[in-house]
Structures are given as C-alpha cells and as structure tokens.
C-alpha cells in the first residue's frame, strides 16, 4: 500500500524556537517513518517582509540544519527549499484565479499585518494563504502537521482544493491538520503575551540556538505570580505553559512533585524555574551543538537541498501536468 502524503513548511525568518520544535518539527520526526513526507523551508514566504538578500542563504541553511539536528533524516524525507521547486509558484498562479480578494482580506493574520506594518501591505501578504495552499496541494498531501496558528490557512487550502475540483474535476484531496499531541499546538511566550514567535519578543522566546546560560536567564525571568491561595485552583495560562515546558523537558517524577506543590499551595516558582531551566538547557544543548556543526558543512547541506528538490520536483511535476490538462492548458 502506498504511504499517505505529508507536507509542511517553516518560514526562514529568524531562529527556530520551542514552538516550532514542539508544534511542528517533533511531529515531522515522528511521521518520517510511516508517511511519504515533504518538508520544506518557506523562503518565498519569508520575502513578504523584505529580508536583506545577504541573509537569505544563511537563514535557509540554518533552518535545514536545525531540522536535521532535531532528528529529521533527509534520506527518509524530501527536505527542500520552496524556491527550488518552480512548480509551486505555477500552481500558486493557478490557485490565485480561484481565490477571492474579499476572503483573503478577512484572514486574521493578514488583518494583523495591516495593523502592525501598515507601511508594507503588499500583495504577497494578501495571497500568503494561496502560496501556502500551493505548497500543500503541489504534492496532493492529505496530512499537514502544523501548530494552532496555521489552522485557518489550512482551512483555506481545503477551500481552494474544493473550488478547483468543482470547476475542473476531482483532482486534489482535502488536506487535514495532523498532530500526535494536542498539548503542544500553541507554546506560549514566557511572559504570557501570546504565542512564542520567531521575530517578536526575543527575550521571552527560547531558540534552539540559545546557549545554556541564555536559556537559564530567560526561564528565570518567565512570568509567574504569588502562587495559588486555594488548593487545586485552575492554573493561569502562563503557569500552565511553564508546566507544559516542564512536562516536555523534565522527568515525570519532577513534574508530579511541582504539580502536587501547586495543588497544595506550597509551590516556590523560583525553584521550579531553576529545575526547568536546567532540564530545558539539557534538552536544547544537543540540538544546538549538532546544528552548529552541520552549519559548518555547507557542501553537505547544499547536497541535501539538491536531493530534496529533486524528490519534490518529481512529485510536483506530475501534479502540475495534471492541473494544466484539467484547466485546458494542453495545446500540443
Ligand atoms: P512558521 O514558520 O511561523 O512556523 C513553523 C511551524 O511551527 C509552528 N509554530 C508553533 N507551534 C506551537 N506553538 C508556537 N508558539 C508556534 N509557533 C510556530 C507553526 O504552526 C508551523 O507549523 N506559513 C507557515 C509556513 C508554511 C507552511 C506551508 C506550513 C508555508 N507553507 C505549508 C505548512 C504547510 C509559517 O509561517 O510557519
């Protein structure tokens, strides 16, 4: 039986963090054995914010290195750069004809950008979900491992797939969100002000490239409060997030101790954070060290990207050929 097709991508804007790791990469690593996986660096998507051309290559190579250091095996998956697969922008163009300006303007991530960067509301931002749909549909994927923040985009990808199918004939499956663990769909920023994110709020984001000391400092400053005053009180979200991080990085007995202290109103957050800082530093250390090593070996990274692009194009070209025919671009 052929394996189910999986696609997911990470934008190459800034260093990867615990949200990317637990919300996405950990699922990639678990899926690589049993699915036909296409994982890519969304370098075209990163252009919406006009990054310095000098930085692009290092950004892309770092994302590749951090994925491999996290356990992704390029022999088992197609690991590639979006810009190495020209079939993606071709499908993007086709899907743009089926996407309505009105629906794109209503997307919350677009509205947020209009609010936060009014000086750069470009058409690429507006059609961001269409490019994302092209990334997914180009391999006719059925499963897409992503965090909570990407769910709305995935819903749009399904809409575009259905619209294409209705107009031209059944061709694209409807891709669904996939994850092994619902706890990690949204890792919060350490100050409790929304999700951990690559480009905002650096002091409250733990990056896979952070040193042990940086991790310690950031965790020791994480938001807490005076503690619960009644037994078994529901946790505020920023405390819940610390417990989640502890659950991900520490041994179960340790989490149980602090959880029971919380429930008995005798928790000392300073002690908890010290423990969490050590365990998280130990968790990130091997990933950081391996990623640093990999980034020194550009030849290997280049080869991995080339091979990944070949695998991706083999699949993408079949889809594009089929889509062209259905649309009627079939002249010779
Ligand atoms: P990006 O680069 O912002 O994030 C990459 C992946 O990490 C997840 N993620 C999180 N999960 C939990 N908690 C967080 N705090 C957190 N922050 C990020 C994201 O949900 C994502 O899975 N538009 C996408 C990239 C993309 C893509 C695609 C993804 C382009 N085309 C096609 C899937 C399929 C993005 O900007 O992700």
């Amino acid at each position: 039986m052929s394996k189910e097709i999986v696609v997911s991508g990470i934008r190459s804007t800034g260093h990867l963090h615990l949200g990317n790791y637990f919300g996405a990469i950990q699922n990639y690593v678990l899926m690589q054995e049993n699915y036909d996986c296409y994982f890519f660096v969304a370098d075209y998507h990163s252009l919406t914010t006009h990054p310095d051309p000098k930085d692009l290559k290092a950004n892309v190579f770092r994302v590749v290195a951090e994925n491999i250091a996290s356990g992704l095996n390029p022999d088992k998956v197609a690991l590639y750069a979006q810009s190495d697969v020209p079939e993606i922008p071709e499908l993007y163009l086709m899907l743009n004809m089926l996407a309505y300006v009105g629906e794109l303007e209503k997307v919350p991530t677009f509205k947020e950008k209009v609010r936060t960067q009014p000086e750069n509301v470009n058409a690429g931002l507006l059609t961001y979900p269409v490019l994302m749909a092209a990334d997914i549909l180009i391999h006719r994927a059925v499963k897409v491992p992503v965090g909570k923040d990407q769910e709305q985009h995935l819903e749009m990808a399904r809409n575009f797939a259905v619209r294409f199918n209705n107009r031209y004939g059944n061709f694209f499956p409807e891709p669904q969100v996939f994850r092994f663990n619902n706890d990690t769909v949204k890792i919060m920023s350490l100050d409790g002000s929304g999700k951990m994110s690559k480009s905002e709020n650096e002091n409250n984001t733990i990056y896979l490239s952070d040193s042990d000391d940086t991790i310690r400092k950031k965790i020791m400053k994480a938001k807490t409060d005076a503690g619960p005053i009644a037994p078994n009180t529901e946790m505020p979200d920023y405390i819940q997030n610390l417990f989640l991080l502890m659950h991900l990085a520490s041994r179960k007995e340790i989490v149980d101790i602090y959880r029971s202290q919380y429930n008995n109103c005798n928790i000392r957050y300073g002690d908890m954070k010290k423990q969490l800082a050590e365990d998280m530093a130990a968790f990130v250390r091997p990933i950081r060290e391996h990623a640093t090593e990999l980034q020194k070996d550009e030849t290997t990274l280049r080869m991995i990207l080339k091979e990944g692009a070949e695998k991706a194009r083999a699949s993408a070209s079949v889809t594009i050929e089929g889509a062209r025919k259905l649309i009627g671009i079939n002249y010779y």
Side-chain angles (χ1 to χ4, degrees), residues 34-273:
N34 300 318
Y35 295 87
D36 190 3
C37 294
Y38 295 88
F39 297 128
F40 66 95
V41 187
D43 52 347
Y44 277 148
H45 274 112
S46 80
L47 298 183
T48 54
T49 49
H50 306 158
D52 189 332
K54 286 201 297 295
D55 297 335
L56 232 60
K57 180 172 161 184
N59 286 345
V60 170
F61 279 38
R62 189 175 54 238
V63 174
V64 172
E66 288 182 331
N67 269 279
I68 297 172
S70 302
L72 208 63
N73 181 345
D75 293 332
K76 292 189 177 155
V77 305
L79 181 57
Y80 58 98
Q82 188 183 32
S83 60
D84 276 335
V85 183
E87 291 81 3
I88 295 171
E90 185 170 348
L91 183 59
Y92 166 59
L93 184 148
M94 293 171 178
L95 295 175
N96 264 322
M97 312 305 171
L98 301 173
Y100 297 106
V101 171
E103 68 183 332
L104 295 171
E105 280 172 341
K106 282 199 211 107
V107 175
T109 43
F110 177 71
K111 290 207 288 201
E112 167 82 7
K113 296 282 179 201
V114 173
R115 207 172 48 77
T116 55
Q117 50 174 72
E119 71 297 345
N120 180 23
V121 183
N122 59 63
L125 271 179
L126 183 68
T127 57
Y128 187 106
V130 189
L131 181 54
M132 197 164 145
D135 295 328
I136 297 167
L137 299 179
I138 198 68
H139 301 298
R140 291 193 272 170
V142 293
K143 288 196 161 71
V144 185
V146 284
K148 182 113 197 117
D149 58 327
Q150 299 298 322
E151 283 184 353
Q152 166 110 41
H153 290 154
L154 206 64
E155 189 182 330
M156 299 192 73
R158 284 194 291 276
N159 290 342
F160 300 142
V162 168
R163 232 172 267 169
F164 184 100
N165 293 347
N166 287 342
R167 183 167 294 272
Y168 299 114
N170 212 5
F171 187 58
F172 291 116
E174 288 180 49
Q176 307 295 333
V177 171
F178 182 86
R179 52 181 75 102
F180 289 96
N181 182 354
N182 263 325
D183 293 349
T184 52
V185 294
K186 182 177 168 191
I187 305 287
M188 280 177 68
S189 161
L190 294 175
D191 62 355
S193 71
K195 66 167 180 152
M196 216 176 247
S197 121
K198 272 185 240 138
S199 37
E200 293 152 36
N201 213 345
E202 277 176 30
N203 289 330
N204 292 297
T205 298
I206 296 182
Y207 298 99
L208 299 179
S209 53
D210 277 346
S211 69
D212 290 4
D213 253 4
T214 305
I215 294 174
R216 285 187 191 107
K217 281 194 192 112
K218 286 179 178 175
I219 290 184
M220 291 316 289
K221 278 199 268 168
K223 177 171 178 177
T224 51
D225 49 31
I229 40 174
N232 304 314
T233 320
E234 200 181 322
M235 291 179 188
D237 53 6
Y238 48 91
I239 298 295
Q240 217 172 325
N241 194 48
L242 286 185
F243 270 96
L244 171 61
L245 293 177
M246 186 169 238
H247 165 73
L248 295 168
S250 307
R251 282 184 294 119
K252 183 173 178 307
E253 304 88 83
I254 292 181
V255 187
D256 288 346
I257 292 172
Y258 286 101
R259 200 176 283 283
S260 109
Q261 288 180 358
Y262 179 89
N263 287 331
N264 293 318
C265 305
N266 59 358
I267 189 161
R268 297 201 333 214
Y269 286 129
D271 292 348
M272 178 184 176
K273 290 200 277 190

